[in-house]
Amino acid sequence: MIYRIQSTILCLFLFMSPIQSQKITNNKNDDCIDWYEHLHQNPELSTQEIATSNYLKNKVSAMGYAIIDSLGFYSFAAVLRNGKGPTLLYRTDMDALPIKEATGWSIASSKTSLKENIATPVMHACGHDIHMSTWLNVAREMSLSKNKWSGTLVLVAQSAEEIGKGAKGIFNSENWNHVPKPDVQLAFHSNPNLEVGQLGFCDGYAMAAVDMMNITIFGKGGHGAEPQKTIDPILLSAQFITEIQTIVSRNLSPNDPAVITVGAINGGTIGNVIPNEVVLKLTIRTYAAESRDLVLGRIKTIGDQLALAAGLDANRLPKYELLDMSIPPVFNSVSLGKSLKEHLSTSFAIVPVPPTMIGEDFGIYSQQNTIPSYLIWLGVLSKTQLKNYQQDSLGIPSLHSSRFAPDYKNAIPKGTEAMVGSLLYLFKNKI
C-alpha cells in the first residue's frame, strides 16, 4: 500500500522519549478521518455487520495483516507476526444501535435496518465508529513501525457487543483456536465526560456483570369488577417489583453495588379485565459472582413466595427466563493499569474513573482474570463542547444518546497515540 506523505499528515507518528508516543496534527483529508466519516454514515446493527467487517478486513489486509475469519457472526482477527516476543491483543467493537441520529451533522447517519421486521433508524451512538477508526489507525502505524517492536499483534474486530453475544461468539468459534493466544489484552471505550487528551483508568472491577431476565407472573383472570374471584397478576407484579428493590438495600453490603431495574411491564388489554399473566423485563447488574448468585436467588424466592401467598399452586409459580445476553464484569488488571498509567502520564492527563454499572463484553476476554486485560476510557469531547454542554439544559449527551457527537477529528489521533504508545511499551516490557 502506498501512502502519500504530506508535511501536515495527520496520522504519521513521531516517536518521542520517554514513552515513544506520537504527536498527531489534525487534517480533515487524512485517511483516518475519512474512515470515521464512512463508518459513522454506514452503521449496522448487532449481528448484521457484514459491510463493516468487510470494510475493516480490506483495510488491514492491505496493511499486511493475515485474516482469521469466522469468529462468530462477522468477527475476525487480523494478525501481524514480527519476530519473537509477546503476543498482544487489541479489540474493537463494530455494531451500532437502533437510534435515530439527532446530532445535526452533515455526516449524520440516515441508515435504517430491519429489527424485528421493522425498518429502524441506526446510529453509532456508543463510539464504536471512534473505536474502529482508531483501531485501523493503530493497525497502520504498527505495520509501518515494525522496526520498533518484536512479537505478535492480534487485532480483533468484534460483532454484537451491544447485545452481549459477540465475545461469546468469538470464544465459542472453532477458528478461535487458530488465533495466537495473547499475553495482554487491551481495548478502548469512548467517554463523553472526558476531554480529548484525557484517559480514564479504573483498576479492578470497572464495568458490571449484566443479566437480562424476563419473568412471567401468573394469575387467574376475570372481571375487573369482581376481583375477589381472581388472582390479580398485575397486583402481584406491583408487589414483586417493590419487594425486589429490597434485595440491594437489605441483602447486599452497602459496599457491594448492584442494580435491579424493571424496564418493561406487559400485561392486560383493557381496564375492566384482569389478565391471566403479566410479563416483566429486567436488567440486573452486579460485580462479584457471589452477589450475582444471591440476587438471582432472591428474585426467585420472592416471586415464588408472593405467588404462593396469593393462593396460586406450585404449577402457577412465576417463570424466570434468563436471556442469552449475560456477560461477566470487566476486571482491569491492577498491575497492568499501574504500568500503563506511569507510562502514559507524560503525554496524557490520567483521570481516575469510578466503576460503572454499564456492561461491556470485553470482560469475557480476561477468561476469569487469567490474562492481564485493561479497558481504557478515551476522552472524546473537546473543551469547548464540554463547556457548551454544561450550559445546555439537556446536558452532556451520554453514551447511547441520539445527540452523541464526539470530537472525532482530535479524539482519533489522541487515541491512536495512546494505544500505539501502550503497545510499543508492552512489547518491550514484561508485565
Side-chain angles (χ1 to χ4, degrees):
M1 187 174 186
I2 299 173
Y3 299 98
R4 184 170 63 248
I5 307 300
Q6 300 175 342
S7 60
T8 59
I9 191 167
L10 172 64
C11 302
L12 178 64
F13 284 128
L14 302 175
F15 290 84
M16 298 181 65
S17 175
I19 67 170
Q20 292 184 304
S21 66
Q22 294 80 11
K23 301 303 178 184
I24 307 165
T25 60
N26 278 320
N27 182 335
K28 188 178 185 298
N29 294 322
D30 189 82
D31 286 344
C32 57
I33 303 306
D34 293 338
W35 295 335
Y36 175 86
E37 294 181 351
H38 170 84
L39 292 164
H40 185 80
Q41 290 180 298
N42 294 278
E44 294 177 298
L45 292 175
S46 304
T47 76
Q48 300 180 26
E49 313 95 332
I50 182 170
T52 302
S53 179
N54 286 336
Y55 183 83
L56 298 183
K57 271 187 277 193
N58 289 337
K59 297 296 182 185
V60 292
S61 294
M63 297 172 191
Y65 288 78
I67 302 300
I68 301 176
D69 219 333
S70 301
L71 297 182
F73 304 114
Y74 296 104
S75 302
F76 70 93
V79 180
L80 188 61
R81 300 180 187 272
N82 188 33
K84 294 181 179 180
T87 297
L88 306 183
L89 183 149
Y90 165 38
R91 185 216 71 169
T92 185
D93 30 24
M94 297 189 290
D95 49 334
L97 290 157
I99 294 173
K100 183 175 177 57
E101 183 164 348
T103 60
W105 278 357
S106 62
I107 62 164
S109 168
S110 59
K111 294 288 185 178
T112 60
S113 292
L114 289 179
K115 181 176 174 60
E116 298 177 354
N117 294 319
I118 298 173
T120 304
V122 183
M123 175 195 178
H124 273 299
C126 198
H128 294 189
D129 44 3
I130 288 275
H131 303 169
M132 289 185 284
S133 304
T134 303
W135 183 90
L136 282 175
N137 211 23
V138 170
R140 181 170 68 177
E141 298 311 321
M142 294 302 292
S143 178
L144 292 173
S145 306
K146 289 194 290 185
N147 62 321
K148 299 182 181 294
W149 60 276
S150 179
T152 299
L153 179 60
V154 178
L155 303 180
V156 172
Q158 182 200 302
S159 294
E161 185 277 326
E162 294 290 358
I163 61 172
K165 295 183 178 181
K168 291 179 183 177
I170 287 176
F171 283 88
N172 290 333
S173 67
E174 292 184 8
N175 276 3
W176 180 246
N177 294 324
H178 302 301
V179 177
K181 294 303 174 279
D183 300 296
V184 174
Q185 302 170 127
L186 298 175
F188 273 136
H189 202 298
S190 299
N191 190 322
N193 296 304
L194 296 181
E195 186 181 323
V196 170
Q198 293 181 324
L199 299 175
F201 280 78
C202 179
D203 293 342
Y205 289 118
M207 292 185 174
V210 177
D211 289 292
M212 305 293 286
M213 177 180 282
N214 292 346
I215 301 176
T216 303
I217 304 290
F218 297 103
K220 185 173 72 172
H223 201 296
E226 297 181 317
Q228 75 278 9
K229 297 179 180 180
T230 73
I231 298 176
D232 188 347
I234 290 180
L235 179 59
L236 263 178
S237 297
Q239 294 172 323
F240 174 77
I241 291 168
T242 301
E243 188 63 27
I244 62 174
Q245 295 306 314
T246 66
I247 297 172
V248 174
S249 66
R250 290 297 178 267
N251 298 127
L252 293 175
S253 164
N255 298 319
D256 187 5
V259 171
I260 304 170
T261 294
V262 179
I265 307 173
N266 300 318
T269 57
I270 193 170
N272 62 350
V273 175
I274 293 173
N276 287 315
E277 61 185 54
V278 173
V279 176
L280 309 178
K281 297 183 178 183
L282 291 74
T283 186
I284 301 154
R285 310 294 172 110
T286 52
Y287 288 125
E290 296 80 8
S291 301
R292 175 181 181 269
D293 291 342
L294 184 148
V295 169
L296 294 178
R298 287 290 295 151
I299 285 174
K300 185 178 187 307
T301 297
I302 290 169
D304 289 354
Q305 295 303 315
L306 284 173
L308 292 171
L312 291 166
D313 54 35
N315 63 1
R316 297 288 286 171
L317 298 182
K319 181 177 72 175
Y320 308 91
E321 180 188 4
L322 194 60
L323 305 185
D324 185 26
M325 297 174 66
S326 297
I327 56 174
V330 172
F331 186 89
N332 284 333
S333 165
V334 176
S335 59
L336 177 57
K338 181 176 184 294
S339 297
L340 291 177
K341 282 181 281 189
E342 291 175 353
H343 177 66
L344 294 168
S345 61
T346 58
S347 294
F348 293 88
I350 305 300
V351 179
V353 175
T356 175
M357 284 295 168
I358 291 174
E360 230 282 6
D361 68 2
F362 184 67
I364 293 175
Y365 287 78
S366 66
Q367 300 176 17
Q368 289 76 50
N369 307 328
T370 58
I371 300 175
S373 306
Y374 215 100
L375 186 145
I376 302 171
W377 289 106
L378 178 66
V380 295
L381 293 188
S382 69
K383 185 176 293 186
T384 300
Q385 282 180 301
L386 285 169
K387 181 179 179 181
N388 291 340
Y389 283 135
Q390 287 165 358
Q391 297 170 353
D392 189 327
S393 61
L394 295 176
I396 298 172
S398 66
L399 298 172
H400 294 204
S401 165
S402 62
R403 299 165 52 239
F404 181 67
D407 178 17
Y408 62 92
K409 295 178 184 178
N410 291 302
I412 294 168
K414 294 303 289 184
T416 304
E417 181 184 341
M419 185 56 68
V420 171
S422 297
L423 292 171
L424 291 175
Y425 172 78
L426 292 171
F427 272 121
K428 295 179 179 180
N429 296 273
K430 187 175 181 179
I431 301 300

